[in-house]
Amino acid sequence: MTTTSTITTTLRAAGCVFADEEAALLVASTSDSRRLAHMVQQRVAGLPLEHILGWAQFAGMRVSVDPGVFVPRRRTELLARHASQLTAKGDTILELCCGSAAVSVAVASAHPDIAVHAVDIDPAATACARRNLAGSNARIYDGDLYQPLPHALENAINVLVANAPYVPSGAMELLPPEARLHEARVALDGGVDGVDIQRRILRDAALWLAPGGFILIETSDCLVASTQELFVSNRMRPHAIHEPELDGTVVFARIPG
């Protein structure tokens, strides 16, 4: 019988930094020894643990994540937390580049009376988003940013949140293999300067945001100045927050009321 300690040793030898924790999660996920052995083989081969388990831990919740779908990072909990703080009862929120909709799930868990709209260009991601937001007041759209949204949402969004791709195209090859090989490139590649998708989001945000609404965008510490410049060029006054413990960075602004 394969023991947790044996699996830990196997994972550690394969370079898994958190081998103890990962072994415990794998063992707890199935009572089928053959399935467990296969899962361990997948992890040793480099498949992200979240894709093997079918879920990721985010803001104290389990979020469904299918193979190939962007895995929500802990740093994005800063984006979710701040969005939740700016959300009021009865608000309408929009998450662009939603992936598995982890941010929407976190905000909706704190504000069950809000209306949630989430968009992603990757159908595999929106399939996860629909499962994660099932039972809530949410609508999920397949498409490119604002393109699939109904006109009824124009000037009606109170909180617009986005963890848009922000890895510069030239740096894609520097990503860890888990991300580079097993997550959709469209969820990672932010264009030549890393802020191309952010640029498109901010360019059209005023059409969708309600007066007094907020827009929040996750970025990296290296790109925060570029992200802030995009806010300024779209007549918004940006504020940047950074959480060292999470290594998270968010730029946000309020649309004049």
Side-chain angles (χ1 to χ4, degrees):
M1 178 181 294
T2 303
T3 65
T4 304
S5 60
T6 301
I7 294 174
T8 298
T9 300
T10 301
L11 296 180
R12 187 171 292 121
C16 298
V17 177
F18 303 104
D20 291 313
E21 294 89 341
E22 293 191 12
L25 288 169
L26 290 170
V27 170
S29 68
T30 181
S31 58
D32 186 325
S33 59
R34 290 186 178 180
R35 173 167 169 72
L36 177 58
H38 178 63
M39 295 169 78
V40 173
Q41 290 174 358
Q42 288 180 306
R43 186 66 185 118
V44 169
L47 197 69
L49 178 69
E50 294 82 1
H51 289 167
I52 298 169
L53 296 173
W55 56 268
Q57 190 81 16
F58 183 83
M61 300 172 293
R62 287 189 178 186
V63 177
S64 175
V65 182
D66 290 338
V69 174
F70 179 80
V71 176
R73 274 52 164 180
R74 188 163 178 260
R75 68 175 70 97
T76 306
E77 291 182 10
L78 176 65
L79 180 65
R81 183 196 311 156
H82 203 62
S84 184
Q85 291 171 351
L86 297 176
T87 299
K89 183 177 181 179
D91 274 355
T92 297
I93 76 163
L94 169 64
E95 183 179 5
L96 296 177
C97 307
C98 71
S100 60
V103 173
S104 291
V105 171
V107 177
S109 70
H111 302 277
D113 57 343
I114 64 174
V116 176
H117 298 265
V119 183
D120 202 282
I121 199 170
D122 181 6
T126 54
C128 288
R130 289 186 176 93
R131 292 205 306 275
N132 287 322
L133 289 167
S136 66
N137 187 17
R139 291 188 61 185
I140 317 301
Y141 308 84
D142 294 272
D144 185 14
L145 300 181
Y146 305 102
Q147 172 268 324
L149 295 176
H151 291 297
L153 288 179
E154 291 180 8
N155 299 124
I157 303 299
N158 303 108
V159 179
L160 193 165
V161 59
N163 178 16
Y166 54 81
V167 179
S169 300
M172 286 292 295
E173 294 305 312
L174 303 178
L175 289 175
E178 286 188 9
R180 189 178 71 250
L181 301 178
H182 298 288
E183 293 178 318
R185 186 181 182 101
V186 71
L188 301 166
D189 193 336
V192 174
D193 59 2
V195 295
D196 187 55
I197 312 301
Q198 296 179 6
R199 181 178 293 110
R200 293 175 56 211
I201 289 172
L202 286 159
R203 183 187 64 201
D204 297 326
L207 175 64
W208 299 93
L209 281 163
F214 294 93
I215 178 169
L216 305 91
I217 295 181
E218 178 176 312
T219 191
S220 69
D221 199 35
C222 295
L223 290 174
V224 64
S226 297
T227 302
Q228 288 179 294
E229 288 173 8
L230 293 177
F231 276 76
V232 172
S233 66
N234 284 280
R235 300 180 180 180
M236 300 179 193
R237 181 179 296 177
H239 305 272
I241 52 176
H242 179 71
E243 175 56 65
E245 183 180 349
L246 296 174
D247 191 29
T249 304
V250 172
V251 178
F252 72 98
R254 186 174 191 179
I255 301 302

